Amino acid sequence: LAQAQVHPSPESPLAHLSCCRCSGAAMGKNYYAILGIEKNASQEDIKKAYRKSALKWHPDKNRERQEEASEKFREIAEAYDVLSDQEKKRIYDQFGEEGLKGGPRPEEGPPGNGPGGPSHGGFSYQFSGDPNDIFARFFKDSFQRSSSFGESPFEDAGGLFGGGMFPMGGMAMGPMGMGMNMSGGSAASGEHGRKRPAMFDLHCSLEDLYNGTTRKLKVKRTSTSLKRADDAVLEIAIKPGWKPGTKVTFQGEGDEFGNSGQAQDVVFVIREKRHPLYTREGSNLLHHRKIPLVDALTGFKFDLPHLEPDKTLRIAVNEIVTPTYTKVVKGKGMPSSKDPAEKGDLVVTFDIVYPKELPADSKERLREVLPRF
C-alpha cells in the first residue's frame, strides 16, 4: 500500500498578549488582551478568540471558582460586544475605553470643552448586556448556520476545493473494488497544470472523525513509461480529531505526466458529513433541542446518544431554562488530533416551546404559584 503524507487543516494562530495599549488611546480595559488577540485581528479571529475564552471561563466549567469565572465571563462578553461591532471598535481603537464610554478625547480636556462633548457626537457606550445571552446567541447561530449548510461554518476555506475533484487525465477513483474509468479531463495539460495533484473529497461522518477509522480506495491511473500496475489501493488511516480540510497526500500515485517517468500526486481532502444531532465547532460539539415550558420551569433530564459507540449521555438540567440558558458539558466534545485523550466540550442550547392555549383553571393555578415581577 502507498504511504500517505498528512497535512492538518490550516488554522489561524492567535497571538497572546500579556499587555498592550491602543495607540493614542486613554488607559482602560484592554479588550484585545482580554481575548488574547492582536489589535490587527480579523473578525474571524475575534470570533474564534471569543469562542475559546468564553468556553474556558463559562461558569458551568468553573464551579469551584464561580465568582472569578463569572467576572471573567462578563469581561470576555464585553470585549466581544465591542470588537465585533465595527463602529464601537473604531472608536475604541482611537480613543480607548474612556473615549468609548463617553469620556473626553485626549485632545479635548475636561468634558464639554471640545466639539462633541464627552460622548463624541452623541456616542456613549455602556455594556448592559447579559453575557449568557451573548454566549447562547453565538452558539445558537453557529448551530443554525451549520445545520443550514450541512458543514461547519468554522472550517478554514483554505482547505476546501469547491465540492468536487479536479479531473486529471485518465485517472479515476472509487471505493475499494469500484475503480472507474475517466476520459478526457484537461486539468493536467500545460506546464503548470501538469504539476497539479489530483484532488478528491473524502466525506467522513462525525463518528469517523471522533473514533478514527480506515478507508481503502482503489484508483486507476495511466502510465506510459512507468512500469507499474494500472490500479493501486490507497489506505487512509483517519485519526480521531481530524478536522475538515485535512489533506492526505499520496506522492506519485496518479497519472504519469506524458512519458516523463514522473506521476502526479493524489490528494484526499477530509470533508465532514452533516450529522442529525450534532454540529462541530473546532473541538466542541453543539447540540440544540426543543423543550416544553413545563420542563424549562421545573427541570428535566434527557438522554443523548454520543459519538462514541454504544454510549449515551444522561444530562440533567436542574436550573430554570431561560432563552439565554446554555448547558456546557465538560470534556464531551471532539478529541484533539494531537492528543485524543484531550477533548473539547459539548454545548447544548434550547428552544422553549410554549403551549398554544391553557384552560382557565390552569391559568388561575399558575397565577397563584408563579411570582410577579
Side-chain angles (χ1 to χ4, degrees), residues 56-70:
K56 178 181 178 181
W57 287 105
H58 193 283
D60 279 0
K61 292 183 64 178
N62 298 273
R63 295 188 181 276
E64 70 285 355
R65 43 179 180 170
Q66 282 275 323
E67 188 174 343
E68 179 189 8
S70 295

Side-chain angles (χ1 to χ4, degrees), residues 29-330:
K29 288 181 182 177
N30 189 329
Y31 293 136
Y32 292 100
I34 289 171
L35 294 183
I37 53 177
E38 297 276 9
K39 188 179 176 182
N40 61 357
S42 67
Q43 284 298 311
E44 188 62 28
D45 288 338
I46 291 169
K47 288 180 182 178
K48 289 180 180 179
Y50 169 74
R51 187 166 60 244
K52 179 179 179 181
S53 300
L55 280 168
K56 178 181 178 181
W57 287 105
H58 193 283
D60 279 0
K61 292 183 64 178
N62 298 273
R63 295 188 181 276
E64 70 285 355
R65 43 179 180 170
Q66 282 275 323
E67 188 174 343
E68 179 189 8
S70 295
E71 180 59 31
K72 288 186 178 291
F73 191 61
R74 182 177 179 81
E75 283 188 348
I76 290 163
E78 180 177 342
Y80 178 70
D81 188 54
V82 171
L83 298 182
S84 62
D85 183 283
Q86 294 292 347
E87 179 64 11
K88 295 174 193 172
K89 184 177 184 295
R90 181 187 67 79
I91 295 173
Y92 173 74
D93 285 346
Q94 189 172 359
F95 301 111
E97 184 195 12
E98 184 178 345
L100 178 71
K101 295 184 176 180
R105 301 179 184 182
E107 69 273 16
E108 287 176 350
N113 290 350
S119 60
H120 312 321
F123 191 96
S124 180
Y125 168 79
Q126 292 295 329
F127 180 65
S128 57
D130 182 349
N132 292 296
D133 181 43
I134 292 175
F135 185 85
R137 249 188 300 117
F138 185 93
F139 282 98
K140 278 185 181 179
D141 288 347
S142 298
F143 184 90
Q144 289 165 0
R145 286 196 302 270
S146 301
S147 298
S148 297
F149 293 99
E151 57 185 37
S152 172
F154 301 98
E155 290 173 4
D156 189 319
L160 306 182
F161 294 89
M165 60 186 176
F166 291 99
M168 303 291 281
M171 173 148 174
M173 59 80 75
M176 182 64 175
M178 294 180 62
M180 299 174 290
N181 289 318
M182 289 175 60
S183 59
S186 59
S189 62
E191 185 62 28
H192 297 291
R194 287 175 56 170
K195 297 179 182 179
R196 292 169 60 184
M199 308 193 77
F200 302 95
D201 294 333
L202 183 61
H203 294 272
C204 302
S205 67
L206 267 180
E207 286 83 358
D208 290 340
L209 297 175
Y210 182 93
N211 299 292
T213 189
T214 299
R215 295 280 190 87
K216 292 183 179 181
L217 298 150
K218 186 175 183 180
V219 297
K220 293 183 179 293
R221 65 272 179 98
T222 61
S223 303
T224 304
S225 62
L226 288 175
K227 304 300 181 184
R228 59 179 184 170
D230 290 338
D231 53 37
V233 176
L234 307 181
E235 183 174 298
I236 302 174
I238 297 169
K239 304 297 183 185
W242 272 8
K243 296 180 179 179
T246 299
K247 303 188 190 88
V248 184
T249 301
F250 294 88
Q251 292 186 339
E253 292 294 335
D255 290 340
E256 182 179 358
F257 299 134
N259 61 353
S260 66
Q262 296 181 341
Q264 65 186 155
D265 296 340
V266 178
V267 178
F268 294 95
V269 183
I270 299 297
R271 295 295 189 91
E272 188 177 288
K273 293 180 182 178
R274 181 173 179 175
H275 196 276
L277 294 177
Y278 299 103
T279 56
R280 181 182 185 178
E281 178 269 297
S283 292
N284 301 307
L285 287 173
L286 312 183
H287 175 71
H288 186 74
R289 68 190 298 114
K290 294 182 178 180
I291 60 170
L293 177 61
V294 62
D295 284 353
L297 294 175
T298 61
F300 60 100
K301 296 178 181 179
F302 65 95
D303 292 333
L304 184 62
H306 199 248
L307 299 177
E308 190 175 335
D310 302 319
K311 183 173 183 178
T312 298
L313 301 177
R314 168 61 64 92
I315 299 175
V317 179
N318 300 315
E319 304 84 2
I320 291 178
V321 176
T322 66
T324 63
Y325 178 85
T326 305
K327 183 75 174 180
V328 178
V329 185
K330 189 174 181 180

